[in-house]
Amino acid sequence: MDKRMVSEVRVWLEEAAQFIRESLDHTMTVVEKSGRTDLVTNIDEETQEFLMNKIRSHYPEDKILGEEKGYNTIDSLEGRVWIIDPIDGTMNFVMEQENFCIMLGIFENGIGQLGFIYDVMKNELYWGGKKLGVYLNETRLTQPAFGKLSEGLLGLNAHMYGENTHFARVLGNKSMGVRISGCAGLEMIAMLKGNHNGYLSNLSPWDYAAGIVLLEEFGFKYSNLKGTPLSFDGREYFLAGSPETYEEILHYVLVNGA
Amino acid sequence: MDKRMVSEVRVWLEEAAQFIRESLDHTMTVVEKSGRTDLVTNIDEETQEFLMNKIRSHYPEDKILGEEKGYNTIDSLEGRVWIIDPIDGTMNFVMEQENFCIMLGIFENGIGQLGFIYDVMKNELYWGGKKLGVYLNETRLTQPAFGKLSEGLLGLNAHMYGENTHFARVLGNKSMGVRISGCAGLEMIAMLKGNHNGYLSNLSPWDYAAGIVLLEEFGFKYSNLKGTPLSFDGREYFLAGSPETYEEILHYVLVNGA
């Protein structure tokens, strides 16, 4: 069943990506959500609508959690839940017309089954799932070499690094270098490829759902900053990394206090 | 003459890029320069050597300023000077095997004539010069729309943002978002494409030489943080941006003190 579902979802994502690419030739509507730098466009909303319609027509029993338009809470993770970020990195989408992703995670009773992260402008779909492996388009990827915090690059949330929230700046300075991309999906990809050792941010479920399915398959570790499971309920601090990097950051945060 | 020189240099850069790409399949030697996070590899050095040999055999009268191996100072900018960064973003080269550039700027009596920024793994060469325009590979680019600091993304040096050096954090927070790529060449490209409104960092001549030739051709402004011309002599604070963004940042720094 997983294989058929993978094929279906890949077709939907191709169609969604094509819609997004074509939208770049037209004027889009950009609206502020919670503030000046929290944007949503009609393309975010229409892409989510497109994916929701596909899910509803093929899997009418399933539940959907999505970033836009009032689908951003869910009663429980019981049953099968599709978690959608139609455009992850909307600011990059608006400002750069690149460096953004479509993300989709499929969970069953709270356990990640399939994850899809689509770098739309690069035409790179990272996908995979429980016991399936991790793929870039048609190519199966090998698990990257893991390293310590001091041995690799660390992806960070800009605000956390700037304000040293939960020691983000101290921890960033222990790494080989801090990178800020403005797109959770690109940070997940950077870990999957072995480019970055870890990622520390403040995320909503649709920002991490697809990523953690793929990270788990490769043996990365992830949680909130208390070291307990992610809630899938609202925004929370998010830490992921190679086992060594994850443990070192979590230990530092726990020992030095919240 | 410029056109012939452009063709020559493009052939050299293709050859250098091919050498760098092939080097990724082999073990490289990585050595620390000024500290733990300031790296150089044998590929940086061999690429500079390759480009220097080309320049010397074709233009034996010209001077060369290059990042590696003792070519990093020059008596004066009189005559024609080639300024080379064989691998800009060496940390990314080592850690990511992508997100690094070859950069080459050609100056005559201190005035920029030609600039080349080659994103090696994307096969994207940004090049151009005085009255030539700016090109991506074979395609002539159009000057991007300019915007104010508050209207766009700002590329920043990680350390400056973290430490609020010269108000870098305050200024970053006035923008739509901070991006940290670890590669000056990629930041120059982001401005040329209209992705970012500005860039604030701490750079050496080979980090900015190629970029400022291309930025100038498109009407961007740039200088050190005193608002005076770059010295081409050692590391100094570097500011570039759309005219509005450049003026706003410079004004803020000058008014609020060094």
Side-chain angles (χ1 to χ4, degrees):
Chain A
M1 188 204 68
D2 271 352
K3 279 208 170 169
R4 199 194 56 176
M5 195 181 265
V6 167
S7 305
E8 276 175 349
V9 172
R10 289 187 65 179
V11 171
W12 305 346
L13 290 175
E14 282 301 337
E15 207 174 324
Q18 189 56 27
F19 167 73
I20 293 172
R21 281 185 217 108
E22 286 169 5
S23 78
L24 296 173
D25 296 332
H26 306 107
T27 305
M28 65 178 85
T29 312
V30 182
V31 177
E32 292 179 11
K33 289 198 289 188
S34 65
R36 188 177 72 85
T37 60
D38 181 21
L39 306 180
V40 64
T41 76
N42 61 307
I43 310 304
D44 295 72
E45 293 176 348
E46 290 169 30
T47 303
Q48 179 169 309
E49 189 69 20
F50 168 82
L51 291 171
M52 286 180 67
N53 285 338
K54 290 291 188 190
I55 296 163
R56 281 171 175 156
S57 67
H58 287 72
Y59 300 97
E61 308 293 312
D62 292 7
K63 296 192 281 189
I64 299 174
L65 180 63
E67 179 170 17
E68 312 301 345
K69 291 194 108 175
Y71 294 95
N72 57 356
T73 56
I74 198 167
D75 289 339
S76 84
L77 291 176
E78 268 176 58
R80 191 159 56 204
V81 183
W82 299 63
I83 306 180
I84 306 172
D85 193 344
I87 299 183
D88 169 58
T90 299
M91 182 62 76
N92 290 349
F93 173 62
V94 173
M95 295 292 165
E96 307 194 306
Q97 287 86 58
E98 61 181 336
N99 302 321
F100 59 89
C101 299
I102 307 172
M103 296 205 292
L104 199 158
I106 304 173
F107 284 68
E108 279 181 16
N109 298 314
I111 299 177
Q113 304 297 320
L114 293 172
F116 300 84
I117 304 178
Y118 198 146
D119 181 335
V120 171
M121 301 311 287
K122 277 192 176 169
N123 268 306
E124 290 184 353
L125 174 65
Y126 293 80
W127 63 274
K130 220 173 163 53
K131 295 179 188 159
L132 274 179
V134 179
Y135 292 77
L136 163 55
N137 296 332
E138 309 308 324
T139 306
R140 185 164 183 165
L141 301 180
T142 53
Q143 183 181 299
F146 288 144
K148 290 191 278 190
L149 175 59
S150 63
E151 295 172 336
L153 298 173
L154 184 66
L156 278 177
N157 169 287
H159 184 266
M160 290 179 73
Y161 181 63
E163 302 303 322
N164 196 29
T165 311
H166 291 299
F167 311 101
R169 192 186 317 142
V170 173
L171 292 160
N173 292 344
K174 288 175 184 284
S175 77
M176 286 301 263
V178 164
R179 297 291 179 266
I180 296 177
S181 67
C183 177
L186 292 181
E187 293 299 335
M188 302 295 183
I189 290 172
M191 286 186 281
L192 294 169
K193 288 162 106 173
N195 286 10
H196 293 182
N197 266 351
Y199 178 40
L200 178 54
S201 191
N202 186 16
L203 301 180
S204 295
W206 41 85
D207 297 318
Y208 58 70
I212 62 175
V213 177
L214 304 179
L215 290 175
E216 173 135 345
E217 185 65 10
F218 266 169
F220 287 90
K221 298 192 79 173
Y222 57 88
S223 70
N224 61 33
L225 268 183
K226 291 173 184 153
T228 57
L230 298 158
S231 69
F232 293 81
D233 183 18
R235 191 173 279 272
E236 64 194 312
Y237 292 110
F238 173 90
L239 168 65
S242 68
E244 303 92 313
T245 297
Y246 169 88
E247 295 294 353
E248 187 173 347
I249 292 176
L250 186 63
H251 181 78
Y252 191 94
V253 172
L254 292 177
V255 164
N256 292 282
Chain B
M1 188 204 71
D2 272 351
K3 280 208 170 167
R4 199 195 55 177
M5 195 181 266
V6 167
S7 305
E8 276 174 351
V9 172
R10 288 187 65 179
V11 171
W12 305 346
L13 291 175
E14 283 301 337
E15 206 174 324
Q18 188 57 28
F19 167 73
I20 293 172
R21 281 186 217 108
E22 286 169 4
S23 78
L24 295 174
D25 296 332
H26 306 106
T27 306
M28 65 177 85
T29 312
V30 182
V31 177
E32 292 179 11
K33 289 198 290 189
S34 66
R36 186 177 73 86
T37 60
D38 181 20
L39 307 181
V40 64
T41 76
N42 61 309
I43 310 304
D44 296 71
E45 293 177 348
E46 289 169 31
T47 303
Q48 178 168 310
E49 189 69 19
F50 167 82
L51 291 170
M52 286 181 66
N53 286 338
K54 291 291 186 191
I55 296 162
R56 281 171 174 156
S57 67
H58 287 72
Y59 301 97
E61 308 294 313
D62 292 5
K63 294 192 282 189
I64 299 174
L65 180 62
E67 179 170 16
E68 312 302 345
K69 292 193 109 173
Y71 293 95
N72 57 355
T73 55
I74 198 169
D75 290 338
S76 85
L77 292 176
E78 267 175 60
R80 189 158 55 203
V81 183
W82 299 64
I83 305 180
I84 305 172
D85 193 344
I87 298 183
D88 169 58
T90 299
M91 181 62 75
N92 290 348
F93 173 62
V94 173
M95 295 290 165
E96 307 194 306
Q97 287 87 58
E98 61 181 336
N99 302 321
F100 60 88
C101 298
I102 307 172
M103 298 206 289
L104 199 159
I106 304 172
F107 284 68
E108 279 181 17
N109 298 313
I111 299 177
Q113 304 297 320
L114 293 172
F116 301 84
I117 304 177
Y118 198 146
D119 181 336
V120 172
M121 302 311 287
K122 277 191 175 169
N123 268 307
E124 289 184 352
L125 175 64
Y126 292 79
W127 64 274
K130 221 174 165 52
K131 295 177 188 160
L132 275 181
V134 179
Y135 292 77
L136 162 54
N137 296 332
E138 309 308 324
T139 307
R140 186 164 183 166
L141 301 179
T142 53
Q143 183 182 298
F146 289 143
K148 291 191 277 190
L149 175 59
S150 62
E151 295 172 336
L153 297 172
L154 185 66
L156 278 178
N157 170 287
H159 185 264
M160 291 179 73
Y161 181 62
E163 302 303 322
N164 197 29
T165 312
H166 290 301
F167 311 101
R169 193 186 316 142
V170 173
L171 292 160
N173 292 344
K174 289 175 183 285
S175 78
M176 286 301 263
V178 164
R179 297 291 178 264
I180 296 177
S181 67
C183 176
L186 293 182
E187 293 299 334
M188 303 295 184
I189 290 172
M191 286 186 281
L192 294 169
K193 288 162 105 173
N195 286 10
H196 293 183
N197 266 352
Y199 178 40
L200 177 54
S201 192
N202 186 17
L203 301 180
S204 295
W206 40 85
D207 297 318
Y208 58 71
I212 63 176
V213 176
L214 304 180
L215 290 173
E216 174 136 344
E217 185 65 9
F218 266 170
F220 287 90
K221 299 192 77 173
Y222 58 87
S223 70
N224 62 33
L225 269 182
K226 291 174 183 151
T228 56
L230 297 158
S231 70
F232 293 82
D233 183 19
R235 191 173 279 272
E236 64 194 312
Y237 292 111
F238 174 89
L239 169 64
S242 67
E244 303 93 313
T245 297
Y246 169 88
E247 295 294 352
E248 187 174 345
I249 292 176
L250 185 63
H251 181 77
Y252 191 94
V253 172
L254 293 176
V255 164
N256 291 283

